[in-house]
Structure formats: C-alpha cells, structure tokens
Amino acid sequence: MATAPFIVHVARLRRNPGLVSHEERHGVVAMAGPLHENGIDPGRSVVPEGAEAEVEVDVRAFSGGIEVVGTVRAPWTGICRRCAIPVQERYAPGSVNEDELYPIVDDTIDLEPLARDAIVLELPMAPLCREDCLGLCPQCGADRNEGECGCVAPRDARWANLDVLR
C-alpha cells in the first residue's frame, strides 16, 4: 500500500526524545479556499492547481509531542509587489499637450502608451539579476556567483607609495 508523500512515521522518534530526523518530501498539496485560483481576485497570489510542493524539515521529539522546523516551498503566480506599477493618469479629447494628458480619439482611449510609459519609468537604472549577485570579475570576466576566480586586483600606481606602510 502506497503512503501519501507527506506522511512521516514518528513512532521511533517518540520513543527517543531528542532524536532528530531530517525529512525531504515532494508532492501535490490539495489547495482550497484563498490559496487556490477558484473565485480569487486576479490581483491576488495563487498556487496553481496540481502544483508540487517541497517540504524540508527536521522532525524532533520532545516530551509530549513532535516539533517540526524547516521550510515549505511551492510555486505561485501573482503580481509581484515590486512589479505592479500603480498608475493614475488623465485622458482628454485631442492630442497629448503640455499637461501630459493622453488623448481620447473617437471616444476610445489607448492604454498601451500609458502602460509603456509606466514600465519605462519604473525600470531600474542598474538592474540586478538578484539582490545578492556578486557579478563578474573585472580582470578575467569569471562569474563570481559560480565560484572564486583567483584573480588578484591590480595595484593602483597612485597608492604605490603607501604600500610600504603595510
């Protein structure tokens, strides 16, 4: 008989308080209510139906029970709080004028210029692939996120006289 992927048997742990078991489990978690897509506002984050979750925990017995400490990961979709750009703009009949109004043409408005302008204004001046990116080595070009390259920074001749103080 197959067991559910998230069931952890703890009888041995309960007989030995203080014993720790590291568990890594993967499987589909049945989502319901506010975590699932059904009936959710489009702006809210959701976990897609059938998405696989990952649980990595340490299971430890204590007098009277079990303590579980670790992480749970699951894919989600939604609008990132940094990526959702608030906009408030005005449209008026005619063409764009000095007041930066967008045009109303034949009783229609085109949201594409509004979207393009908002996106361009929110683009970072110096984007990072991630917050803790180490970048490339300026000498050899090696990706410092993948490991050290061993290069030694060149000495600046303007500071050479101070090297004798080291």
Side-chain angles (χ1 to χ4, degrees):
M1 180 166 108
T3 61
F6 296 107
I7 300 297
V8 177
H9 296 282
V10 295
R12 186 174 60 89
L13 291 172
R14 295 187 69 203
R15 286 191 300 267
N16 300 293
L19 190 61
V20 177
S21 174
H22 183 77
E23 302 288 336
E24 292 184 28
R25 306 295 176 97
H26 305 269
V28 175
V29 176
M31 306 305 288
L35 297 177
H36 194 269
E37 296 170 299
N38 298 332
I40 301 297
D41 296 336
R44 297 224 4 228
S45 299
V46 295
V47 175
E49 185 175 356
E52 187 168 285
E54 174 187 320
V55 176
E56 184 175 349
V57 294
D58 286 332
V59 181
R60 176 180 297 117
F62 68 90
S63 179
I66 297 289
E67 176 184 40
V68 177
V69 177
T71 59
V72 176
R73 293 179 190 89
W76 59 275
T77 59
I79 298 174
C80 172
R81 65 182 172 86
R82 288 184 174 173
C83 297
I85 304 166
V87 293
Q88 181 176 352
E89 298 293 343
R90 291 184 171 194
Y91 286 77
S95 62
V96 177
N97 59 28
E98 65 277 347
D99 292 331
E100 299 295 322
L101 298 174
Y102 291 95
I104 298 174
V105 178
D106 296 330
D107 289 329
T108 64
I109 61 172
D110 184 359
L111 297 177
E112 184 177 353
L114 170 104
R116 181 183 55 246
D117 293 348
I119 291 168
V120 168
L121 290 172
E122 289 294 319
L123 288 174
M125 295 298 288
L128 294 173
C129 60
R130 61 179 202 258
E131 291 294 323
D132 63 341
C133 178
L134 298 174
L136 303 177
C137 173
Q139 279 73 45
C140 70
D143 187 344
R144 293 188 290 184
N145 296 304
E146 295 176 0
E148 290 296 320
C149 62
C151 289
V152 177
R155 294 187 182 255
D156 188 336
R158 297 174 293 174
W159 299 98
N161 291 337
L162 295 176
D163 285 340
V164 296
L165 298 176
R166 288 186 197 191

